[in-house]
Amino acid sequence: MTQMDDAKNGIITEEMKIVAEKEKIDIEKLRKLIAKGYVVILKNVNRDTNPVGIGQSLRTKVNANIGTSPDCVDIELEIKKAKIAEKYGADAVMDLSTGGNLEEIRKAIMDAVKIPIGTVPIYEVGKLAREKYGRVIDMNEDLMFKVIEKQAKEGVDFMTLHCGITKQSVERLKRSGRIMGVVSRGGAFLTAYILYHNEENPLYKNFDYLLDILKEHDVTISLGDGMRPGCLADNTDRAQIEELITLGELVERCREKGVQCMVEGPGHIPINYIETNIRLQKSLCKNAPFYVLGPIVTDIAPGYDHITAAIGGALAGYYGADFLCYVTPSEHLRLPTIEDVKEGVIATKIAAQAADVAKGNKLAWEKETEMAYARKNHDWEKQFELAIDKEKARKMREEIPSKEEKACSICGDYCALLMVEELGKR
Amino acid sequence: MTQMDDAKNGIITEEMKIVAEKEKIDIEKLRKLIAKGYVVILKNVNRDTNPVGIGQSLRTKVNANIGTSPDCVDIELEIKKAKIAEKYGADAVMDLSTGGNLEEIRKAIMDAVKIPIGTVPIYEVGKLAREKYGRVIDMNEDLMFKVIEKQAKEGVDFMTLHCGITKQSVERLKRSGRIMGVVSRGGAFLTAYILYHNEENPLYKNFDYLLDILKEHDVTISLGDGMRPGCLADNTDRAQIEELITLGELVERCREKGVQCMVEGPGHIPINYIETNIRLQKSLCKNAPFYVLGPIVTDIAPGYDHITAAIGGALAGYYGADFLCYVTPSEHLRLPTIEDVKEGVIATKIAAQAADVAKGNKLAWEKETEMAYARKNHDWEKQFELAIDKEKARKMREEIPSKEEKACSICGDYCALLMVEELGKR
């Protein structure tokens, strides 16, 4: 039984109670949202996960991608990344490892943190195919489903599966005139598979079988957007929207089966197309939770893509995206360091908070108002306590202190607040 | 004669030619925009400034605030800040010094860079008043206009003057129920002046005289928003909009006199009120260039306010703000360091580029498309060249290199681009 099955049957689970309490939402309202598929709760039945709710009426959530690559395998480093992501408020972590012993790394990360863990199983499939048969492209159906089932049993809470990469979307892609083609790694694996073997994507063809596996362990499927644009010029094109239509159909099949699902979205979108993208997904996918990667709003800032993504993520969240995948400063350049992970999580938490405030979320506003009073009252300890990064805020203030202890060194004793306050006392 | 006077008289100045060339805009179109007051060119007749155009149909510009405070006076440091701001693409610098010898600092900064320099003369007025009479509040009309005239003669290109702080706006403020009152330093000086002396703001009362001084040196007036909100909860309130209405009236008086003017705006605004703020300013102030501080979209991220401001600035720019004042990571905590200035400028340049792309600016799109092709072609040198921070991008990539030289260490030889490219070759 999945959370969705229970919700449909009128059953309130422990996980629903935890989520309702955290979000300060009426439990019956939450149950209905889960039953309709507007909200998912990430929690594999086989793992002792702290359940996280994602979707309509809940706060915007943040995911941090970590994991090894063929160029850098250091399991301890990845564990540290997972922990720092959790420390700074990531609601979930995806292990995207492609180098080293993937099962071992995954288990270590799952042991290291309590937040939900996601994966992209096709990476392990590709790696095993290369090891067994020589090339990624030599992967086959059997291997795909074996890996997915294995990961589901291990306790993976949500999986990105690129089921919308189909013969038809690949045809659309060919006629799209894109600059950058496919930039999704999983999307590229499956596009290559379709083109090379001239066969339909097994994850699409056997979608019901896939759902049976996921349902057994209550793995939430995150329908991947393998056709997402890789640069601003390619945004919102026919290949992308073709895939999104298919994903919308698959959402309905998930719901019929009682499998929890989310839909993934871009990527690279200029500001003036973000609203369009969100509304389109919400409409085509019948309000399934929307999980976006960024989006980044300009491509000319490698080294600062946590900022380009925070801009896009804040706006996406405001228009209705439910789950923001962080982007780190090192995106497009190299595997992230621990510091990059921290910067990425914080930038994305800022975006989520900005979105929630703009949507009128009460919990988000409470924090804002508390901070306003802390500033008005020159209560610096309270300001640090409320800050998204307490240590950094405190350290910065202490580096160049003010002689006027209530003020800071920007204005010193010319502090506007103090000046008007002083006058009020007279 | 100001640029505006010349434009009205059908004269095309050298400065207009330079701006038209940089912006790739028809010179006659530019002249008309200047004549109407929809565009200003920052350039004092007494300074050898590289002229910068700000306003409708031009790219979004970025300002960096620097300057000493009573707690930290280091002239060499401020010069370095000005230079690093210019290096990373700031279009203007404001010297907001309040500590040390202000005239000396200002001159040093004006000598150090070629971009336009702005000031808030009331700071020097307040400092001199304190030195001469004991308190900031002891400032008087005579001192105000002497300082303004002196700075205009020195070559200051634009000045923030809080002419909209009036007896009436102060009354509105009292009835506003704000949490944070006045947070603008200059605004606080003048609010205090009005309340203490029970007299009208001299900058408002003698506005025509003020314009005579500015006109002589073609100083662009930046009508300050002393009533800007200091926290999200106070945004777009009656005190703020009362002041904006007054500023709109003053814009018309500037235009009649041929004095170039901009209008300043907040500050702290949740995402869902940014569009409202921009449209309101454009309407009330008859399309005068809008110069916004941030806006920051959440208050809970001290230490990261370059990011909260980049979110707000990108959106503001998209809706029509013309000039973005940066916010540094150390805002609300301490005076910025050189590194903070760099981070602040880059974050704001990102916001400006994102806004310009969304508005369809051709120059902005050219860069995006070039970057897309550089990535498609694995042309890393070109990517660095196009990057907003070349050194950082290169350094990051080199820190964790990939064995696959065309790729980066995120995917290594699982690179999506390479995989699909390989298939295309077969």
Side-chain angles (χ1 to χ4, degrees), chain A residues 293-310:
Chain A
L293 176 54
I296 77 173
V297 294
T298 167
D299 286 325
I300 66 158
Y304 298 86
D305 275 329
H306 59 313
I307 297 179
T308 65

Side-chain angles (χ1 to χ4, degrees), chain B residues 292-343:
Chain B
V292 294
L293 175 54
I296 77 173
V297 294
T298 167
D299 286 324
I300 66 158
Y304 298 86
D305 275 329
H306 59 313
I307 297 178
T308 64
I311 295 170
L315 208 49
Y318 169 52
Y319 288 123
D322 306 282
F323 194 21
L324 307 179
C325 185
Y326 85 171
V327 177
T328 81
S330 71
E331 183 74 15
H332 303 109
L333 294 169
R334 64 153 159 72
L335 215 61
T337 61
I338 291 175
E339 190 56 30
D340 292 329
V341 170
K342 177 187 161 185
E343 292 289 314

